[in-house]
């Protein structure tokens, strides 16, 4: 598996994914954006609004992404579009900006519909950004995208996934060592702590 993942990332082949949620529940995915990258280029995209099993949009979530309950009433559920989404994830490194959130949303929403969670390895582009570009004021998606001049309609799931994909390509092309953790499902486990240690050492040296 490690050789397969290493080969995929060396060839700049991976999937980027982003979810928006309707409310505070991780099982309330209401939009998904998925981007396939091959040889460092976006070759295919998928986007859909999603109707959560419990149709309830919290006002705080609405203020973030602008998706209202009326927009979701006729939308498909994740269960109904899963056959379209799964091929993007199958045997692919999967990247998200703050992967802990997006992977959790995927897992909780699948379980809410009684679907099996697929096995895949993920990377977090927030952790990659913190390690590779510590000079940035912040490492939220809009800050990193602006640094590289990447167009972004923030909190549109497809736009976020596309920006995440382009940031990841920049990271993988940086030439800097990325000590990925192949023993864990999250390959970028430990990178944030490593970045913090490096920043502390740099501050002490100066």
């Amino acid at each position: 598996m490690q050789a397969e993942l290493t080969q995929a990332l060396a060839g700049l082949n991976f999937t980027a994914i982003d979810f928006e949620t309707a409310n505070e529940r991780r099982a309330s995915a209401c939009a998904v954006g998925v981007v396939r990258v091959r040889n460092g280029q976006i070759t295919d995209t998928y986007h859909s609004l999603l109707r959560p099993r419990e149709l309830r949009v919290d006002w705080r979530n609405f203020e973030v992404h602008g998706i209202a309950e009326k927009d979701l009433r006729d939308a498909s559920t994740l269960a109904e579009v899963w056959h379209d989404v799964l091929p993007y994830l199958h045997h692919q490194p999967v990247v998200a900006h703050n992967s802990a959130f997006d992977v959790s949303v995927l897992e909780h929403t699948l379980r809410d519909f009684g679907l099996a969670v697929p096995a895949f390895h993920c990377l977090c582009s927030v952790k990659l950004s913190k390690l590779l570009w510590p000079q940035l004021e912040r490492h939220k998606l809009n800050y990193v995208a602006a640094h590289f001049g990447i167009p972004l309609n923030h909190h549109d799931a497809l736009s976020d996934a596309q920006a995440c994909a382009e940031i990841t390509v920049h990271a993988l092309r940086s030439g800097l060592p990325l000590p990925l953790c192949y023993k864990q499902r999250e390959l970028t486990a430990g990178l944030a702590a490593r970045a913090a240690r490096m920043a502390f050492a740099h501050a002490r040296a100066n």
Side-chain angles (χ1 to χ4, degrees), residues 22-23 51-52 54-59 62 65-75:
N23 53 62
R51 188 178 74 256
E54 176 196 2
L55 181 53
R56 174 176 60 86
V57 176
D58 188 274
W59 66 269
F62 175 78
H65 50 56
I67 301 171
E69 288 183 14
K70 63 180 177 60
D71 302 317
L72 302 175
R73 288 194 184 102
D74 296 325

Side-chain angles (χ1 to χ4, degrees), residues 7-15 36-44 92 165 168-170 172-173:
Q7 183 178 8
L9 294 174
L12 303 178
N13 300 321
F14 60 88
T15 291
R36 180 179 286 127
V37 176
R38 291 292 178 269
N39 300 314
Q41 301 294 321
I42 293 174
T43 60
D44 194 13
Q92 297 296 312
T168 303
V169 170
H170 280 287
L172 296 176
R173 282 179 171 163

